[in-house]
């Protein structure tokens, strides 16, 4: 028994280095964020370096305040680790470094640091204002700075989130370098809830530009209300959820002032508005009228409104300067029935086609394939199938 006990005693005198409590490795490593109290530069990668020849890095983890990991690569010799994804601006990170010395003893070092705030911020403003709209209302995003680079545009698009219940798939379209519109392939569902928010804050967009804050937006839709204006038959048919609820005798633009064909949405409602011939290039004395029950459908001045002076032509001829005129009673009913974002479609006019952008919301006049080409993310990608759409629906 004595030799056996002696042997056991001898083994206990040589502890395994890996079982020892980790020592503080502060003197064995340096990292790029350690700037004497200065905040780390988010434009530069995070780097951790082992000092001297007697130590090496065995593991590095870096996480943000939400627990998301920063990917990185450790050199084969254990002397250097470098992040491979951008850091966010104005964010807090925790860095945990594991080391070992020449004898294999483990060391640990934990460091908290913050990145500096971005000097150039891109702010986003969503539109329209929160509220209830018709099913034709697009969602808009206005940027505080122009963005032209396709890669930067893709970063922005992926961070701007639009969800709806019931769920429909939609796509952002770049109208210009500072404006995006979002719409589904078809109109929004009736009685839908649409939420819009941005995940862009602190994200590096490119060229020293970072995402700023954006106020989220919540919209709802009402019934699906559509007004089909037929300039050939001089009749307007108003449908609610696909069911005709009223047919109205109308007059539209006369030759030379033809009403634009295409899909428009109600932009504004004005119970009284002054209209003059000078506003459309006619002589100052041509006409100057107060017009009532006016629903505006283009920025250039097309309205659906009361036109008591043309009741003899309503249902029979086109005699207006581009607006859709009807009796006072019908105009008041239309004014009180429609909401902003409701659809007004004109057919069989000799006028120009409604432009998709620049004169109101003509977004629905662009074919879906062309709409997707205006996205920095969806362009060239196959459209989502119904099965894909079901999988991508937000969860309750």
């Amino acid at each position: 028994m004595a030799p056996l006990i002696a042997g056991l005693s001898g083994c206990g005198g040589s502890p395994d280095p890996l079982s020892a409590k980790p020592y503080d490795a502060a003197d064995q490593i340096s990292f790029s964020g350690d700037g004497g109290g200065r905040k780390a530069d988010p434009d530069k990668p995070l780097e951790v370096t082992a000092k001297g020849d007697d130590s090496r890095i065995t593991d590095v983890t870096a996480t943000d305040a939400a627990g998301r990991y920063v990917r990185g690569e450790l050199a084969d010799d254990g002397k250097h680790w470098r992040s491979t994804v951008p850091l966010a601006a104005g964010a807090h990170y925790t860095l945990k470094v594991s080391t070992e010395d020449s004898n294999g003893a483990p060391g640990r070092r934990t460091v908290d640091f913050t990145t500096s705030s971005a000097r150039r911020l891109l702010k986003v403003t969503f539109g329209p204002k929160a509220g209830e709209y018709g099913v034709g209302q697009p969602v808009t995003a206005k940027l505080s700075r122009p963005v032209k680079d396709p890669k930067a545009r893709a970063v922005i698009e992926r961070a701007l989130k639009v969800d709806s219940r019931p769920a429909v798939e939609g796509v952002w379209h770049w109208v210009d370098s500072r404006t995006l519109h979002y719409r589904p392939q078809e109109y929004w569902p009736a009685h839908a809830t649409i939420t819009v928010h941005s995940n862009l804050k602190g994200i590096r967009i490119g060229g020293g530009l970072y995402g700023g804050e954006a106020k989220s937006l919540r919209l709802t839709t009402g019934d699906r209300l559509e007004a089909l204006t037929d300039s050939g038959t001089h009749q307007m048919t108003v449908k609610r959820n696909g069911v005709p609820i009223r047919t109205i005798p109308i007059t539209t633009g006369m030759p030379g002032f033809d009403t634009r064909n295409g899909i428009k949405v109600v932009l504004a409602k004005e119970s009284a508005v002054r209209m003059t011939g000078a506003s459309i290039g006619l002589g100052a004395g041509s006409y100057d009228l107060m017009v009532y029950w006016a629903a505006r459908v283009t920025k250039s001045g097309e309205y659906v409104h009361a036109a008591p002076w043309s009741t003899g032509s309503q249902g029979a001829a086109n005699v207006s300067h581009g607006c859709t005129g009807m009796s006072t009673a019908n105009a008041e009913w239309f004014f009180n029935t429609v909401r902003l974002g409701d659809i007004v479609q004109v057919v069989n006019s000799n006028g120009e086609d409604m432009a998709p952008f620049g004169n109101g919301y003509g977004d629905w006049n662009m074919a879906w394939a062309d709409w997707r080409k205006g996205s920095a993310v969806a362009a060239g990608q196959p459209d989502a199938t119904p099965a894909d759409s079901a999988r991508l629906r937000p969860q309750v």
Side-chain angles (χ1 to χ4, degrees):
M1 290 295 292
L4 179 58
I5 293 172
L8 290 173
S9 176
C11 291
S14 302
D16 183 354
L18 297 179
S19 67
K21 181 180 179 180
Y23 60 83
D24 185 356
D27 294 335
Q28 291 185 339
I29 64 165
S30 63
F31 82 103
S32 58
D34 188 5
R38 296 190 304 272
K39 295 182 178 180
D41 186 349
D43 283 330
K44 298 179 180 179
L46 179 63
E47 297 183 275
V48 182
T49 303
K51 298 179 180 179
D53 298 327
D54 296 333
S55 62
R56 60 187 295 270
I57 300 167
T58 58
D59 186 56
V60 176
T61 60
T63 55
D64 65 11
R68 293 181 291 251
Y69 285 87
V70 177
R71 294 194 300 273
E73 293 180 347
L74 179 61
D76 292 339
D77 61 3
K79 291 296 184 181
H80 185 259
W81 180 92
R82 178 187 179 100
S83 63
T84 56
V85 294
L87 300 178
H92 180 84
Y93 288 91
T94 298
L95 178 71
K96 296 181 179 181
V97 183
S98 298
T99 65
E100 64 179 17
D101 63 14
S102 57
N103 296 319
R108 298 285 189 274
R109 178 63 171 166
T110 299
V111 180
D112 291 307
F113 69 95
T114 302
T115 56
S116 60
S117 299
R119 295 179 181 177
R120 296 178 61 230
L121 287 178
L122 180 79
K123 298 182 179 179
V124 183
T125 303
F126 294 121
K129 295 180 180 179
E132 185 176 74
Y133 292 85
V135 299
Q137 178 66 51
V139 173
T140 65
K142 193 70 175 179
L143 309 181
S144 61
R145 298 173 182 269
V147 177
K148 298 181 179 180
D149 178 68
K151 291 183 179 179
R153 288 187 171 191
V155 171
I156 294 169
E157 271 191 63
R158 291 190 179 100
L160 304 184
K161 304 298 184 181
V162 182
D163 297 314
S164 71
R165 300 174 187 272
V168 289
E169 291 302 310
V171 172
W172 287 105
H173 181 103
W174 287 80
V175 177
D176 55 45
S177 62
R178 295 180 62 171
T179 309
L180 296 87
H181 284 195
Y182 185 100
R183 50 156 277 209
Q185 183 171 0
E186 304 295 338
Y187 302 132
W188 295 104
H191 305 291
T193 299
I194 303 159
T195 56
V196 190
H197 69 278
S198 170
N199 293 332
L200 202 57
K201 182 180 178 181
I203 299 299
R204 185 166 64 180
I205 298 170
L209 188 63
Y210 286 80
E213 294 186 3
K215 184 178 179 180
S216 59
L217 175 66
R218 182 180 183 273
L219 308 174
T220 58
T221 60
D223 288 335
R224 174 168 171 156
L225 201 78
E226 303 166 84
L228 179 64
T229 303
D230 192 329
S231 293
T233 63
H234 316 292
Q235 301 288 325
M236 172 189 280
T237 301
V238 182
K239 296 181 180 180
R240 177 180 283 122
N241 299 323
V243 179
I245 58 174
R246 193 155 182 153
T247 299
I248 302 172
I250 58 164
T251 181
T252 60
M254 69 179 76
F257 297 92
D258 302 277
T259 305
R260 291 171 181 81
N261 281 299
I263 302 170
K264 308 156 192 178
V265 303
V266 177
L267 302 177
K269 294 167 62 176
E270 302 170 56
S271 57
V273 59
R274 183 184 177 189
M275 296 187 181
T276 66
S279 65
I280 59 171
L282 298 178
S286 56
Y287 67 86
D288 189 340
L289 299 169
M290 286 302 298
V291 176
Y292 299 93
W293 309 119
R296 188 168 195 152
V297 294
T298 72
K299 290 182 178 180
S300 60
E302 280 189 29
Y303 288 83
V304 177
H305 63 74
W309 55 85
S310 65
T311 52
S313 298
Q314 293 164 18
N318 295 321
V319 297
S320 83
H321 290 94
C323 293
T324 298
M326 57 186 65
S327 71
T328 299
N330 281 327
E332 184 177 3
W333 175 87
F334 185 83
F335 184 93
N336 291 328
T337 300
V338 299
R339 61 174 57 84
L340 304 191
D342 279 335
I343 302 155
V344 177
Q345 183 175 7
V346 177
V347 297
N348 297 323
S349 171
N350 293 320
E352 299 177 353
D353 291 335
M354 176 69 176
F357 311 111
N359 196 20
Y361 294 125
D363 305 51
W364 305 101
N365 296 291
M366 182 178 288
W368 183 240
D370 293 330
W371 183 271
R372 288 172 56 84
K373 291 177 182 178
S375 164
V377 175
Q381 300 295 321
D383 200 0
T385 65
D388 293 332
S389 299
R391 286 194 296 269
L392 293 171
R393 289 177 184 171
Q395 300 299 309
V396 177

